[in-house]
Amino acid sequence: MGYWQGRVARLMAAAALVLSANAASADAIVQTKGDWQDKFRQLEVDLPTPNTYRTASGAPGHQYWQQRADYSIDVKLDAAGKRLTGRQTVRYQNNSPDSLRYLWLQLDQNIYKDGSIAELTRTASPAKDGGDQVTYGALARAQALKDTHYGMEIASVTDGSGTKLSYTVVDTMMRIDLPRPLSPNASFTFKVEWAHNIINQDIVGGRSGYEHFRDNNTDLFFIAQWFPRMAAYTDYAGWQHKAFLGRGEFTLEFGDYDVAITVPADHLVSASGELQNPGDVLTGTQRDRLAKAAKADKPMFIVTPEEALANEKETDKATKTWRFAAKNVRDFAFASSNKFIWDAMGVSQDNPAGNPVLAMSFYPNEAEPLWSKYSTWAVAHTIKTYSKYSFAYPYPTAQSVNTWDGGGMEYPMITFNGYRPTTDKKTGKRTYSANAKYGLIGVVIHEVGHFYYPMIVNSDERQWSWMDEGLNTFVQNVAHLEWEENFGEHRRKVNLPSEITSYMTSQGQVPIMTQSDSVLQFGPNAYTKPATALTILRETVMGRQLFDHAFREYSQRWKFKRPTPSDFFRSMEDASGIDLDWFWRGWFYTTDHVDIDLASVREYRISTGNPDVEKAFQRDEYRRDNVEPLAQIHNREEGLKTLLAREPDLKDFYNENDKFSPTNKDRNKYADLLEGLEPWERDALARAEKDGDWVYFVDFANKGGLVMPLPLQITYADGTEEFLMIPAEIWRYNSKAVTKMLIRPKQVVGIELDPRQEIADANPSNNGFPRKIAASRLELYKAKDETQDLMADMLVELKAKKEGEGKQEGGKDVPLTPGEQK
């Protein structure tokens, strides 16, 4: 375990202690007396020490390095047999300062092998009542794994000259032992021949496979994690060879790909990279349409729905070989089918440095009319939006392929996306719901967004899922609102901080900085919570100008490189000039939540000491604070006279003089006060007497643990309002309770904390002073007749008893009597 990896492991161990909102946070480790916690303790004490590879600013160091792997692959798709057979040549460049005695490759298909770690550790899903259950899906999956041998079949591993190399398969990884150590700045070329059966994704699950259409007995293949891929060797972890368990995705090296894909002659192929032999695989008409589409500002059909429908009815045993080249990518995927409709359009990027991009979609007729209307537009919109906030998209194509319904997965230049219309069984007409429409647009934006994170900004998905899913979901939410105001209003708005509060208050969670395969509640942890955190940073903590500059700087620093969390944290602070350590620590290293109570507000006026002024105030206060006794009110109403009213001679000095009238003694005391003040103090007192300001002491209690800024909406007696943002640093001396003094020229009648719901406060009911009455609608319901239910239960029990007795008597059912039946 390397130095950095060891420090991360220690951080993970510390973070694991905070599984509930009440657990101590990591900063308590250094506190030995009292219960004070330093929420603003600098994160540098926990992050890896900067070095020549990764600087303290968050940028790559002057000696930064990463490995490279170039591939030449020939693969054949046996569509009928649902099988891939391939051979590949890999040139591995060792750019590290280390000599390597062996190489590690990923065999991701081994996750489906009987005996894999993933299969052996798969747990049963309990029924809702806590009992045991077996679903149809679980049964069908077990049957499929029993009927077909899945997993990578290695036929041979040789060096460039054909000499066999020793290799060892360890679950989803393979180690190739080198004949001699691979020195720094040297390369090694080797070859692998392999094959594997393709999973039925509908039944087995996973990120790739094939989809079978029962109605017309056709198939759609979407192929990923399909060849032995080089594992990453890094400066922070060495070989990243954690077993693939299905959740923690991939950590890969960049390189050039030359791939020949042999498929049935009636298939169309979509793949990472650019097609190299269009004259061999496309008709003249298709090539002409493609050339026009590249310059079109709206999607154009390359293969029409009618042509695709006719094509899928053909049976052709011949084959064609499609050749693709992809430059400087970290992976390669493809899709193949005789069902594809194909449309495309050109995209000019908003980023001035951007090259033209060909946006394309491939989908079956079952996806119409939804896909031709929205898919390619969503691809184009994503490229234009993401390039504006990060860097120019560097590749020539961006593709969306319709695969399993509702899912989504990304690879360089190609994405697999779900959502389809529904078909009316009576009329055969297809229609799509609002959920399908916005689901499609959203999933295409999300998956195409992954072209940037992590396909270009190459974070370690096996270790930190949030670095690609969270960052990408954040930019996706920005792209949603640049597509349409109130995007998909009927859908859950994951970009609203208020939507994450139920997760952040739950007990079954772990810190964001937990290793991918150990994350509980993966969706909120890897996607929603980090995306919400970045939304709050942009809109509330930093402001858009500073955030956008820093985020763009991070993206440009690390494109085509491999950042770690510390590189992201440091880059955001370095480029913005804002200390965010408190934010990273609270949101990413703990499971604290936001619950800030606007506990109380006290109102004052500044006393001038001048009796000619203060006595009048005292009289008003006395009248306001001393309520007349109810018995006295009733006496007056009944016309009763007091003894003093009847006998005026009983009055004396105390009855005749008003205690709120200033006396000479009072005035002399005030003169002595002024005499004892410094000139500047007298000026301040005179200014206070002139202005007549109102002074408020506002108490805040931090009940959730997370320190956050305090957005306040102040309402004055004259109906005007003021918005005030108090930075989070107000909590630096006391993270549990603070008091803010406000001096205002007008009387305040109300203060509301977080009026725009921007800090993910989990309990809005304590955010107002004075407290507000919660308003909602109450549904009426019909009372349940419990006597009827009891009668029904008794009849059921009686029938069961009779049936049981009948079977015991002679194996025959005893019929119920007419009375029992009734």
Side-chain angles (χ1 to χ4, degrees), residues 15-21 23 506-511 520 591:
L17 298 176
V18 290
L19 294 181
S20 73
S506 68
Q507 296 298 311
Q509 57 169 308
V510 293
L520 306 177
T591 55

Side-chain angles (χ1 to χ4, degrees), residues 277-298:
N277 61 335
D280 297 334
V281 295
L282 301 181
T283 67
T285 300
Q286 291 168 347
R287 294 196 300 273
D288 290 342
R289 291 173 178 171
L290 192 59
K292 292 178 181 178
K295 298 179 181 180
D297 57 2
K298 293 182 180 180

